[in-house]
């Protein structure tokens, strides 16, 4: 599928689902996932009960919003959730009362330096309520006025939903892609991740002779990825060779990557290599810049080999977490198109790479019983060159070092290395 077509389709989908009231839970998320299912029928929707304990966290109750507004004393609505769902602080608790200006102001959020922007605020784990508005709207409030506030919300024991697409390849080893679905009415953070990932899944399905299997997930940020890890950790740890957290992937800014902790995974290496060889301007951030779900996927104990890829990184573009993060201005077809082009190259590079995996789990194989090592113990220096190459190549068969890199590391010519690799494959020591 051509990148332009993918980008146009993704953008059109974005227009349809932009305004859904996505949050950690609630009907907006389910509606979004059902829309994604229409694009790729392989998407399965899963649910986790509210109040389920996941590690140190608890899945929150389902947040239901019927309506929310502020009226002035003449009964005129001056702020309405129905006009823009960003007006209501996410997970606001219900309230219906009259307040004077001073009392109301304590519950208002605005940005003095961005007069037209409604900020995006949430309060998932501390019960409170609030409204977000542009500074221009705030300035119009009358200090002598009495306002009526109605936050018609409720919390119920329900479910948190997430989506998962699994695509089989020749190997059980997987490439893992994750994006989050919990933001309402903002384009780059993170509708772009959602519309990009669903169409990249369609493209992956068209790859002939796919070597790797793929897992693409759509989860609420943090509690969703933590829950997903909780449910799938052993499979993920066993199979994932490279992972990507995708967010803010639809603007026209330069690419950004947040490295894994030690910057040494296959995902780190290939992403960087594509940026460099394709002469793509990018900024590499260290682990210290983590901020999205990569921080959970790479956390001690989980430790998946994953990087975050964005165009303009979250926090680094001025429209971030405001109503100005729009389709058409921030996220464009041109921006999406380039992201498709580059990310496809990263995937194809991993698909074509010749990465060696030991067939014997976790420890060094006994070579002498396979006639690959002298029968009488020998020091490294006493080994002939062939045996030296055998032990060295095996020691780099970690699934993330390519044959080309190994040849460089052990200072041997590639054809000679490939010859030993063929021998080790025949002996069933590596795949
Ligand atoms: Zn965000």
């Amino acid at each position: 599928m051509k990148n332009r077509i993918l980008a146009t389709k993704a953008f059109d989908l974005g227009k349809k689902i932009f305004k859904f009231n996505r949050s950690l839970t609630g009907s907006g998320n389910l509606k979004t996932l059902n829309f994604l299912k229409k694009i790729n029928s392989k998407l399965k929707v899963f649910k986790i009960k509210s109040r389920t304990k996941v590690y140190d966290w608890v899945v929150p109750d389902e947040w239901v919003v019927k309506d929310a507004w502020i009226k002035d004393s003449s009964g005129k609505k001056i702020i309405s959730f129905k006009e823009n769902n960003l007006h209501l602080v996410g997970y606001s608790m219900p309230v219906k009362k009259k307040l004077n200006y001073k009392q109301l102001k304590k519950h208002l959020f605005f940005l003095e330096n961005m007069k037209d922007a409604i900020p995006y605020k949430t309060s998932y784990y501390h019960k409170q309520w609030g409204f977000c508005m542009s500074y221009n709207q705030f300035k119009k409030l009358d200090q002598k006025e009495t306002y009526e506030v109605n936050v018609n919300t409720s919390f119920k024991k329900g479910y948190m939903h997430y989506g998962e697409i699994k695509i089989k390849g020749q190997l059980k080893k997987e490439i893992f892609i994750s994006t989050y679905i919990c933001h309402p009415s903002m384009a780059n953070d993170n509708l772009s991740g959602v519309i990009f990932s669903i169409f990249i899944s369609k493209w992956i399905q068209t790859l002939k002779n796919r070597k790797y299997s793929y897992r693409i997930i759509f989860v609420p940020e943090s509690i969703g990825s933590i829950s997903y890890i909780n449910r799938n950790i052993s499979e993920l740890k066993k199979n994932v060779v490279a992972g990507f957290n995708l967010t803010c992937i639809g603007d026209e800014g330069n690419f950004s990557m947040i490295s894994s902790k030690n910057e040494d995974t296959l995902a780190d290496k290939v992403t960087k290599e594509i940026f460099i060889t394709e002469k793509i301007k990018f900024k590499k951030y260290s682990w210290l810049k983590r901020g999205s779900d990569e921080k959970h996927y790479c956390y001690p104990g989980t430790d998946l080999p994953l990087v975050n890829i964005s165009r303009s990184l979250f926090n680094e573009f001025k429209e971030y977490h405001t109503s100005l993060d729009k389709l058409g201005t921030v996220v464009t077809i041109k921006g999406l198109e380039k992201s498709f082009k580059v990310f496809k190259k990263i995937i194809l590079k991993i698909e074509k790479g010749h990465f060696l995996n030991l067939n014997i789990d976790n420890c060094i194989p006994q070579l002498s019983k396979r006639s690959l090592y002298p029968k009488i113990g020998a020091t490294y220096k006493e080994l002939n060159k062939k045996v030296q190459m055998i032990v060295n190549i095996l020691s780099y068969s970690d699934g993330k070092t390519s044959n080309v890199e190994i040849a460089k590391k052990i200072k041997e010519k590639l054809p000679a290395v490939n010859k030993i690799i063929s021998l080790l494959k025949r002996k069933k020591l590596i795949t």
Side-chain angles (χ1 to χ4, degrees):
M1 249 185 289
K2 289 226 165 70
N3 298 319
R4 186 76 184 181
I5 296 171
L6 284 172
T8 308
K9 285 185 171 181
F11 193 87
D12 287 344
L13 171 67
K15 282 196 280 194
K16 287 178 194 148
I17 64 176
F18 183 81
K19 285 186 173 172
F20 292 0
N21 190 40
R22 283 174 289 272
S23 183
L24 296 187
T25 61
S27 61
N29 290 16
L30 193 55
K31 244 166 102 182
T32 301
L33 291 169
N34 285 336
F35 252 84
L36 299 181
K37 211 174 158 61
K38 282 187 212 163
I39 307 292
N40 191 337
S41 58
K42 276 182 102 71
L43 183 129
K44 280 192 184 152
V45 177
F46 291 85
K47 56 187 184 179
I48 303 182
K49 268 189 191 154
S50 313
R51 304 180 197 176
T52 302
K53 198 169 155 35
V54 279
Y55 299 120
D56 202 30
W57 299 70
V58 177
V59 174
D61 279 350
E62 219 175 295
W63 184 51
V64 183
V65 188
K66 286 216 181 82
D67 201 1
W69 44 254
I70 304 173
K71 280 181 183 173
D72 64 17
S73 56
S74 74
K76 192 182 148 210
K77 267 186 203 169
I78 52 164
I79 294 292
S80 169
F81 168 82
K82 284 185 176 156
E83 202 177 289
N84 191 329
N85 45 25
L86 291 174
H87 278 312
L88 182 63
V89 170
Y91 264 72
S92 278
M93 55 185 255
V95 62
K96 192 168 185 341
K97 59 177 164 187
K98 288 189 174 159
L99 299 162
N100 65 30
Y101 173 85
K102 219 172 137 191
Q103 290 164 324
L104 177 65
K105 200 186 159 194
K106 286 183 197 152
H107 295 273
L108 302 182
F109 299 87
F110 47 84
L111 298 164
E112 274 181 61
N113 59 346
M114 287 175 82
K115 293 185 168 41
D116 295 324
I118 307 164
Y120 167 55
K121 295 280 173 201
T122 60
S123 180
Y124 297 134
Y125 298 104
H126 304 282
K127 286 268 158 73
Q128 54 179 309
W129 63 270
F131 283 90
C132 302
M133 57 181 66
S134 71
Y135 189 62
N136 286 337
Q137 285 171 314
F138 169 73
K139 290 302 282 177
K140 281 187 197 152
L141 296 182
D142 183 346
Q143 304 205 11
K144 288 178 199 128
E145 179 70 280
T146 300
Y147 292 97
E148 190 186 354
V149 166
N150 178 23
V151 178
N152 188 355
T153 59
S154 58
F155 296 92
K156 65 169 189 185
K157 246 176 116 178
Y159 296 95
M160 175 175 72
H161 293 91
Y162 66 88
E164 179 194 66
I165 297 171
K166 279 183 170 178
I167 305 168
K168 272 200 177 131
Q170 292 157 8
L171 302 175
K172 273 194 168 170
K173 293 285 171 192
E174 291 181 5
I175 296 175
F176 173 57
I177 296 167
S178 177
T179 197
Y180 51 91
I181 55 163
C182 52
H183 288 37
S185 301
M186 286 170 295
N188 210 19
D189 184 26
N190 186 42
L191 188 61
S192 67
V194 177
I195 57 181
F196 182 85
S197 300
I198 195 70
F199 280 99
I200 210 75
S201 78
K202 294 291 283 179
W203 171 75
I204 289 166
Q205 281 174 295
T206 67
L207 285 181
K208 287 201 184 91
N209 304 319
R210 223 169 21 241
K211 194 159 76 184
Y212 290 104
S213 296
Y214 288 79
R215 182 192 296 251
I216 300 133
I217 66 164
F218 302 83
V219 291
E221 203 175 18
S222 291
I223 188 66
S225 56
I226 291 168
S227 303
Y228 191 84
I229 293 167
N230 188 272
R231 281 189 165 187
N232 298 280
I233 182 68
S234 55
E235 234 182 73
L236 292 170
K237 276 190 98 106
K238 200 167 138 202
N239 292 331
V240 172
V241 294
F244 301 93
N245 189 63
L246 299 179
T247 164
C248 306
I249 193 86
D251 67 307
E252 294 177 22
N254 290 336
F255 280 82
S256 317
M257 76 179 274
I258 301 173
S259 308
S260 67
K261 225 179 301 162
N262 295 316
E263 309 196 0
D264 63 346
T265 73
L266 180 57
D268 286 270
K269 286 181 191 175
V270 174
T271 305
K272 221 174 103 184
E273 194 182 328
I274 289 293
F275 287 159
I276 292 167
T277 54
E278 299 289 324
K279 297 188 171 60
I280 293 157
K281 281 193 186 155
F282 75 105
K283 221 170 173 179
K284 184 173 82 65
Y285 294 93
S286 84
W287 171 245
L288 296 176
K289 249 311 199 181
R290 69 195 181 280
S292 176
D293 284 328
E294 75 283 355
K295 68 184 178 192
H296 312 305
Y297 294 127
C298 299
Y299 211 75
T302 305
D303 266 328
L304 295 178
L306 174 140
V307 297
N308 180 83
I309 299 183
S310 301
R311 299 295 292 271
S312 300
L313 196 60
F314 41 82
N315 267 322
E316 305 270 315
F317 59 101
K318 67 176 192 299
E319 299 88 353
Y320 170 72
H321 274 196
T322 75
S323 58
L324 301 188
D325 180 359
K326 284 181 186 164
L327 280 175
T329 51
V330 178
V331 169
T332 62
I333 291 175
K334 195 177 156 199
L336 286 164
E337 185 182 0
K338 187 154 183 199
S339 294
F340 277 116
K341 186 177 162 203
V342 172
F343 191 66
K344 278 181 180 179
K345 285 194 190 241
I346 292 170
I347 294 294
L348 290 176
K349 180 86 187 170
I350 298 177
E351 279 284 337
K352 284 183 189 140
H354 197 128
F355 297 92
L356 311 177
N357 275 298
L358 276 185
N359 261 351
I360 291 170
D361 281 340
N362 299 329
C363 205
I364 192 163
Q366 197 198 347
L367 297 174
S368 60
K369 71 178 184 192
R370 296 175 172 89
S371 306
L372 294 172
Y373 200 84
K375 296 269 186 291
I376 291 181
T379 65
Y380 181 79
K381 271 189 184 171
E382 287 165 346
L383 299 174
N384 68 36
K385 193 159 175 192
K386 183 177 160 189
V387 179
Q388 286 183 349
M389 283 174 73
I390 288 172
V391 294
N392 285 335
I393 290 169
L394 283 173
S395 75
Y396 279 114
S397 298
D398 53 6
K400 53 189 181 187
T401 316
S402 72
N403 53 339
V404 181
E405 281 177 286
I406 292 175
K408 261 191 241 163
K409 282 180 196 284
I410 68 171
K411 300 190 175 69
E412 295 290 348
K413 295 226 160 69
L414 185 61
V417 168
N418 284 341
K419 216 171 140 188
I420 300 289
I421 289 172
S422 302
L423 169 68
L424 295 174
K425 277 185 180 166
R426 280 203 305 280
K427 294 279 184 183
K428 299 195 168 35
L429 283 172
I430 56 172
T431 49

